[in-house]
Amino acid sequence: MTDELNREHILIVRCGEVALKGMNKPYFERMLLERIRKLLKKFDGVRAYRHEGLIYVRADKDMNPGAEGRDRIIREVGKVFGVASISPAKECLSTMESIGETAVEYMMEAIEERGVKTFKVEAKRADKNFPVKSPDIARQIGAAVLKGCKVLKVDVHNPDVRLFVDVRHDMSYIYQDKIPGFGGLPLGTNGKGMTLLSGGIDSPVATWMMAKRGMLIEAVHFHSFPYTSQRAREKVEELASLVATYCGRFKMHVINILPIQEQIVENCPEEETTILVRRFMMRIAQELARETECNMLITGENLGQVASQTAEALTVTDASVNMPVMRPLIGMDKVDIMDLAREIGTYEKSIEPYEDCCTVFLPKHPTTKPKLERILESESRLDCDRLIREAVESRETVNIYPAE
């Protein structure tokens, strides 16, 4: 008889980059565990704990989430930044008899469910005091499986199943899948950033990428009502909710930039409109960032993609603020950005055809090589401080919750 353990409902969660943090590793692991536990609150009877460098997610013995519930838990845990991979596993006592019986049981299920015909055992002895060495564990467990599952054969080169045996101090684990997570660093381990979030493809991806590096997120969104519609704003809030499924609840400050655009159109050269509006956006974002204790600004700009994103234009834009500006997409191909948007689930919402404030008063021939001295001369015709102050004071702040 196999030992009476809750083998069915345990997941092994592995840390990725967190494991390389040396003396700071326990801090990063605690932060990762905290994020996983927070996410698991939506599941009844499911808990997470840390032991021997791994995180385990376990359903209570009287709970049976089933395959569908287990897969949903895996998908949700896989969204937590810092998770490298997840393995649904069977747990048993760390004895050769128990490991062998559990491996046979595991492979019998694989035969019934998927018609598996070949296998290979790969063993790892995390507990170095265990009396059997890793190669011998693999050989003996392989022999037990061959004896218990007559239809199976060993294939060391291209097996249907790679059967992993992880031997630890008290318990051992049998599994085959290593389902990849997104990796990165746990949220809250790398400061806080103010992201300029639009309804396009790029800025949600840029926000996601910085959150993946452990950065907490706050957002600002600019619109030009009534030139942009209420539905366009709702689209951005829906996009933000999709991003929040990875980085958790955050605040988004919504600002009507139309009064500033009108002043620029009335007083400044037409070809400079785009770069001037962009500089105002950056300065407003900086004011909000300081107020909300953000360390830096985040944008979805990509080198050379549009007139305001040439090297010269980005240099002039950066001169408007004295806070670091993170542009994680700066050297990426557009196709790669689109692929990542699809992977994280923001692409379909991003391409919905609603108005954007950046297209309001768009000049026919925007300058692509602006000179800072000319831009400063144009700005001298505007009451910049007043316009920025009024924009910040007029903001509406909304809470963004993860999409269901």
Side-chain angles (χ1 to χ4, degrees):
M1 288 290 291
T2 57
D3 45 279
E4 295 297 327
L5 290 169
N6 183 29
R7 297 192 187 94
E8 296 298 332
H9 313 135
I10 190 166
L11 303 177
I12 299 173
V13 180
R14 299 177 191 82
C15 309
E17 195 173 337
V18 169
L20 305 176
K21 292 299 179 182
M23 296 294 289
N24 291 322
K25 180 181 176 182
Y27 164 72
F28 283 88
E29 288 180 341
R30 286 195 303 272
M31 292 293 288
L32 179 57
L33 181 59
E34 179 183 321
R35 290 291 169 183
I36 293 173
R37 283 175 171 168
K38 187 174 182 180
L39 177 143
L40 291 176
K41 287 181 179 179
K42 68 177 74 172
F43 301 99
D44 294 331
V46 179
R47 58 192 174 91
Y49 58 94
R50 181 166 58 107
H51 184 61
E52 294 182 340
L54 294 174
I55 291 174
Y56 298 89
V57 175
R58 183 191 295 275
D60 292 341
K61 287 190 176 183
D62 58 346
M63 300 295 296
N64 187 347
E68 183 177 341
R70 185 199 65 181
D71 290 346
R72 185 182 172 212
I73 293 170
I74 291 172
R75 286 195 301 271
E76 293 296 314
V77 173
K79 292 178 181 178
V80 177
F81 295 131
V83 172
S85 65
I86 307 163
S87 293
K90 285 185 177 290
E91 181 184 58
C92 61
L93 295 173
S94 289
T95 67
M96 289 301 295
E97 180 183 5
S98 180
I99 294 170
E101 291 178 350
T102 305
V104 171
E105 180 183 303
Y106 188 99
M107 292 308 301
M108 287 297 291
E109 292 177 1
I111 293 168
E112 293 173 5
E113 294 173 3
R114 302 190 303 282
V116 169
K117 295 180 179 179
T118 61
F119 77 103
K120 174 187 178 181
V121 178
E122 298 186 13
K124 179 177 70 173
R125 186 181 58 148
D127 177 14
K128 300 306 180 186
N129 292 320
F130 191 75
V132 185
K133 294 183 178 180
S134 297
D136 294 326
I137 295 172
R139 187 179 69 254
Q140 291 181 37
I141 298 305
V145 171
L146 287 172
K147 183 178 179 181
C149 306
K150 303 295 186 182
V151 300
L152 289 180
K153 294 182 179 180
V154 173
D155 184 343
V156 297
H157 300 294
N158 189 32
D160 295 334
V161 168
R162 290 184 183 272
L163 187 65
F164 295 97
V165 178
D166 187 355
V167 180
R168 295 185 172 262
H169 180 65
D170 295 317
M171 298 295 177
S172 293
Y173 301 90
I174 309 291
Y175 58 91
Q176 63 167 310
D177 297 318
K178 292 184 179 181
I179 302 166
F182 282 114
L185 296 172
L187 282 166
T189 59
N190 240 342
K192 185 179 179 184
M194 176 66 69
T195 186
L196 283 74
L197 191 63
S198 73
I201 295 171
D202 299 338
S203 60
V205 175
T207 303
W208 181 88
M209 290 181 70
M210 294 306 297
K212 183 182 174 183
R213 299 309 303 159
M215 179 162 282
L216 293 173
I217 296 299
E218 191 125 346
V220 56
H221 170 63
F222 297 97
H223 65 89
S224 301
F225 185 82
Y227 289 92
T228 55
S229 65
Q230 176 64 23
R231 185 64 191 93
R233 170 181 164 172
E234 291 169 359
K235 170 193 169 181
V236 175
E237 292 185 9
E238 291 165 9
L239 259 177
S241 290
L242 293 173
V243 175
T245 60
Y246 300 95
C247 63
R249 179 174 64 88
F250 62 88
K251 294 183 182 297
M252 185 169 75
H253 309 279
V254 182
I255 293 177
N256 190 343
I257 201 168
L258 181 60
I260 293 175
Q261 290 174 304
E262 290 175 334
Q263 287 295 307
I264 291 171
V265 169
E266 184 178 336
N267 295 284
C268 303
E270 179 189 5
E271 66 274 12
E272 295 177 358
T273 301
T274 301
I275 192 69
L276 287 166
V277 171
R278 192 67 186 171
R279 280 169 58 88
F280 270 98
M281 287 180 175
M282 297 292 281
R283 279 183 282 190
I284 291 167
Q286 178 174 257
E287 290 301 312
L288 293 171
R290 287 170 173 164
E291 182 180 314
T292 55
E293 298 182 338
C294 291
N295 306 99
M296 56 190 61
L297 306 180
I298 303 167
T299 82
E301 290 163 314
N302 176 260
L303 188 62
Q305 184 169 247
V306 294
S308 64
Q309 296 176 23
T310 63
E312 294 86 352
L314 292 176
T315 300
V316 171
T317 298
D318 280 356
S320 65
V321 294
N322 51 29
M323 180 174 283
V325 181
M326 297 292 107
R327 295 184 173 95
L329 310 184
I330 194 69
M332 293 179 65
D333 289 342
K334 186 67 175 185
V335 172
D336 295 331
I337 298 170
M338 292 164 64
D339 287 344
L340 185 49
R342 291 187 183 96
E343 183 178 359
I344 67 176
T346 59
Y347 179 78
E348 293 300 327
K349 180 60 62 176
S350 291
I351 62 174
E352 290 182 1
Y354 291 100
E355 316 87 356
D356 185 271
C357 70
C358 293
T359 61
V360 176
F361 305 122
L362 189 67
K364 291 181 180 179
H365 303 288
T367 179
T368 58
K369 296 184 178 182
K371 301 294 184 182
L372 181 57
E373 57 272 18
R374 292 182 182 176
I375 296 298
L376 293 174
E377 179 183 347
S378 296
E379 286 181 346
S380 68
R381 304 169 193 170
L382 306 170
D383 189 345
C384 296
D385 292 341
R386 177 183 62 81
L387 291 170
I388 292 169
R389 183 178 66 256
E390 290 177 352
V392 171
E393 291 174 351
S394 70
R395 75 184 182 272
E396 178 186 353
T397 301
V398 295
N399 288 315
I400 301 297
Y401 296 92
E404 292 296 331

